[in-house]
Amino acid sequence: MNRRMQALAVFPAKKSVQLVDIPEPQLQDATGVLLGVREVGLCGTDREIISFEHGSPPPGSDRLILGHESLAEVVEVGPSVRRLSPGDLVVAMVRRPCPHPECRPCRAGRSDFCVTGHFTERGIKEADGFLTEYALDDEEYLVKVPKPLVDVAVLLEPLSVVAKAVVQARAILDRLPYEPGPQRGLVLGAGPIGLLGAMALIAHGYETVVYSREPEGGDKSKLVHSLGASYVSAASQPLETLTETTGEFDLILEAVGFAPVMMAASRLLRANGVVALTGIPAEGAAADIDVGGALRDLVLKNQVVFGTVNAGRSDFLSAIQQLEQFMTLFPESTRKLITHRRPLSEAARMLTQRDGIKNVVQLGLREA
Ligand code: BGC
């Protein structure tokens, strides 16, 4: 008889979130990998799912197992697995391809650019996640993590989203037919994506400012200063007048998800600058901005605003390189991004409490 394990699941129809008792999975596919989940990071997307605003269970199921920011250990591999062996540390990619032959990005292994919308996402959309002791995956969607990163590797999934945003933004900036001078970056928001984004911009040589709600002198502003960036609080400076004190920016990374802030971002750009939007605003949100002025600037100053979501394998690999760089440049600040590590029994409470930066659920490998 199968052993049993616990998992944190959301039941959208019943509007409840609870620990469920389910059978441990067993390896079936030749390219399958049995994972012992070690850590799962919690984020705003999980909070939206437990507020029933985002996400959906697998077809035919009334519940979705949560958890998409994973770090796991390979326990067992199928006979055709080539790149992984038991004991390896891995992070799972979140999005899985749609089935449509005509979807070129999915067929090319880049479901993060899926054009049909029929992709699935582990722990988010129609596929169970990793907030459980053991999980199955396919070798294709697992990225091997260097062991020295073990303490911070649970940050790799959110960092992959940042890495993709930076790769895409720099590709757009690369279109410029001249050699740009020193570049100035702005990060909007000081949550995990914002702070990882600040680290990434600094590591890429940007003179960086972080703008967020928390007061100056608080933990987040101290962390930002420890990276060598400046911090400006929304409490003391309205966004519209920010550039009067800071100057304009070449690259803005938005990580707030609040429509008025997202719409206002392009007004803070220099000529030829780029805004990367990563926050997901509520549908129907309105923003009181000068649309004509913003559009005029976009055209007259060659500016670009683009959205970016999820990440492909190359972005995960670039996230690994960046995390290694962060651990050389600012190891203590990187570790400080992880505020609490708690057991699965406290996961639901951590999701509703919202204190700290990145809260992580720890799951232990059981004795054989
Ligand atoms: C995840 C992404 C996902 C997005 C939309 C984010 O929290 O990190 O992988 O694509 O939510 O569901």
Side-chain angles (χ1 to χ4, degrees):
M1 208 183 72
N2 267 4
R3 295 212 301 193
R4 317 271 310 167
M5 62 178 189
Q6 291 209 303
L8 186 69
V10 59
F11 293 77
K14 287 197 281 178
K15 297 238 180 302
S16 78
V17 180
Q18 62 196 71
L19 283 174
V20 291
D21 182 72
I22 56 173
E24 273 181 18
Q26 286 187 340
L27 204 54
Q28 277 159 0
D29 299 339
T31 53
V33 178
L34 177 65
L35 301 170
V37 183
R38 282 202 177 190
E39 293 189 334
V40 174
L42 304 176
C43 78
T45 301
D46 299 305
R47 280 190 287 274
E48 280 178 16
I49 299 171
I50 66 161
S51 311
F52 316 104
E53 288 161 18
H54 189 60
S56 42
S61 172
D62 61 345
R63 53 117 179 104
L64 170 76
I65 296 176
L66 287 163
H68 61 277
E69 297 183 2
S70 64
L71 174 66
E73 184 174 323
V74 173
V75 175
E76 200 185 331
V77 297
S80 303
V81 169
R82 291 287 164 266
R83 282 184 288 113
L84 296 172
S85 347
D88 283 347
L89 271 186
V90 290
V91 54
M93 293 162 68
V94 175
R95 196 177 274 193
R96 307 307 157 90
C98 77
H100 305 292
E102 72 277 12
C103 182
R104 286 171 180 253
C106 281
R107 304 292 69 80
R110 288 302 301 247
S111 55
D112 55 318
F113 285 102
C114 175
V115 292
T116 68
H118 294 151
F119 57 82
T120 59
E121 287 184 338
R122 296 287 305 253
I124 302 176
K125 182 177 180 279
E126 296 165 30
D128 281 332
F130 298 95
L131 262 174
T132 177
E133 289 158 81
Y134 294 89
L136 288 176
D137 213 329
D138 192 280
E139 173 178 39
E140 192 179 342
Y141 305 114
L142 297 171
V143 182
K144 190 169 164 178
V145 175
K147 292 215 165 135
L149 288 180
V150 62
D151 290 351
V152 288
V154 71
L155 297 171
L156 282 169
E157 196 282 332
L159 185 55
S160 72
V161 171
V162 170
K164 176 177 171 185
V166 173
V167 167
Q168 300 292 313
R170 288 173 70 84
I172 297 168
L173 286 164
D174 274 352
R175 85 198 189 288
L176 298 176
Y178 60 93
E179 202 50 53
Q183 301 274 290
R184 309 194 63 245
L186 171 67
V187 175
L188 296 171
I193 296 282
L195 292 170
L196 288 166
M199 291 178 173
L201 292 193
I202 293 162
H204 278 94
Y206 284 78
E207 185 193 327
T208 303
V209 175
V210 175
Y211 180 85
S212 190
R213 277 189 308 200
E214 296 77 11
E216 268 141 39
D219 288 347
K220 286 191 174 165
S221 81
K222 284 188 193 142
L223 200 132
V224 168
H225 288 301
S226 76
L227 306 174
S230 318
Y231 182 85
V232 181
S233 169
S236 56
Q237 177 91 51
L239 190 59
E240 300 71 46
T241 57
L242 177 66
T243 54
E244 288 171 16
T245 44
T246 60
E248 293 172 331
F249 301 94
D250 303 285
L251 172 54
I252 300 180
L253 185 70
E254 177 278 333
V256 176
F258 182 53
V261 170
M262 298 174 82
M263 288 302 297
S266 68
R267 303 312 298 273
L268 312 171
L269 285 176
R270 260 186 194 165
N272 311 333
V274 174
V275 178
L277 301 174
T278 73
I280 305 175
E283 279 193 54
D288 184 15
I289 65 145
D290 172 4
V291 180
L295 294 175
R296 226 181 123 79
D297 270 0
L298 284 185
V299 175
L300 295 178
K301 298 184 184 171
N302 300 293
Q303 294 164 337
V304 178
V305 178
F306 75 99
T308 172
V309 68
N310 199 255
R313 179 175 284 275
S314 60
D315 303 310
F316 275 84
L317 296 177
S318 116
I320 289 175
Q321 277 182 358
Q322 286 188 18
L323 196 54
E324 284 172 334
Q325 204 182 355
F326 297 173
M327 289 305 277
T328 309
L329 292 174
F330 13 72
E332 281 321 305
S333 309
T334 307
R335 283 199 187 90
K336 271 197 193 149
L337 293 179
I338 300 175
T339 323
H340 299 300
R341 283 188 155 95
R342 302 262 161 80
L344 184 60
S345 54
E346 292 183 40
R349 196 162 56 80
M350 276 204 287
L351 267 173
T352 45
Q353 265 177 353
R354 299 208 65 157
D355 61 332
I357 302 171
K358 173 60 69 190
N359 291 333
V360 169
V361 181
Q362 263 186 322
L363 299 119
L365 276 186
R366 219 185 272 169
E367 296 302 311

